[in-house]
Amino acid sequence: MRHANLAGAAVASLLLAGVGQAQAQERQDVEMNLVDTDGVQESIGSISYEDTDHGLLLTPDLSELPPGVYGFHLHQNASCEPGEDDSGDTQAAGEAGGHHDPDDAGSHEGPYGEGHLGDLPVLIVNEDGKATLPVLAPRLSAEDLEGRSLMIHEGGDTYTDEPKLGGGGSRMACGVIES
């Protein structure tokens, strides 16, 4: 974990240097809430986003999460309500739909690959249960987020189709981006 923290600090420094070159787009916040099959639960903080010359910068200010690395995605619909999955079972934040894939790429290749646009860099939660390390999505802009939702999954992300959806697993937290 120490290496992840050092690497994360180096990435954060580079990202924050790019913020000074941000475009005219103002910073916006999305409230993030825990989700389960009963619905939207308590707030765990927010994620701010803004356009930069290098893509979309997302800066989490989240707390009370288990330490680890989590899959982070942009989902198609602006909802965090439960919904049915393909098998008819209730799924936490199921109404958010699948990962944002406007070009029907149909593959998970990560934020730097040529797959769908919903793959964001993973979120890192430190030993204190906080996620504050900024991440950069180079193929997205703030405009792409309008009318969608941000999702944090219970597992990590391999940025591949195997295991299913990159191994992210169940939906843990969600935030709606209004248009």
Side-chain angles (χ1 to χ4, degrees), residues 35-37 39 75 79-83 91-97 151 171 173-174:
V35 292
D36 60 25
T37 55
H75 280 247
S79 178
C80 293
E81 295 300 321
Q91 176 184 39
E95 290 297 314
M151 193 75 62
R171 299 164 184 202
C174 180

Side-chain angles (χ1 to χ4, degrees), residues 142-162:
E143 182 179 291
D144 295 316
L145 273 61
E146 293 178 9
R148 313 234 178 272
S149 57
L150 291 176
M151 193 75 62
I152 301 171
H153 292 266
E154 290 181 342
D157 196 335
T158 63
Y159 301 130
T160 64
D161 294 325
E162 296 296 328

Side-chain angles (χ1 to χ4, degrees), residues 37-133:
T37 55
D38 292 328
V40 177
Q41 304 302 322
E42 67 269 10
S43 175
I44 56 169
S46 64
I47 296 177
S48 63
Y49 64 93
E50 62 188 306
D51 286 321
T52 73
D53 292 339
H54 304 289
L56 185 69
L57 182 68
L58 298 119
T59 305
D61 185 10
L62 305 174
S63 60
E64 300 187 35
L65 292 167
V69 177
Y70 295 94
F72 184 36
H73 299 103
L74 178 63
H75 280 247
Q76 190 62 34
N77 304 319
S79 178
C80 293
E81 295 300 321
E84 288 187 6
D85 62 15
D86 292 338
S87 64
D89 294 328
T90 301
Q91 176 184 39
E95 290 297 314
H99 297 165
H100 180 52
D101 189 9
D103 298 326
D104 290 323
S107 64
H108 302 268
E109 297 181 27
Y112 303 98
E114 295 182 19
H116 67 69
L117 292 177
D119 275 341
L120 300 173
V122 293
L123 283 181
I124 298 173
V125 177
N126 68 22
E127 293 84 13
D128 296 328
K130 297 179 188 246
T132 57
L133 183 65

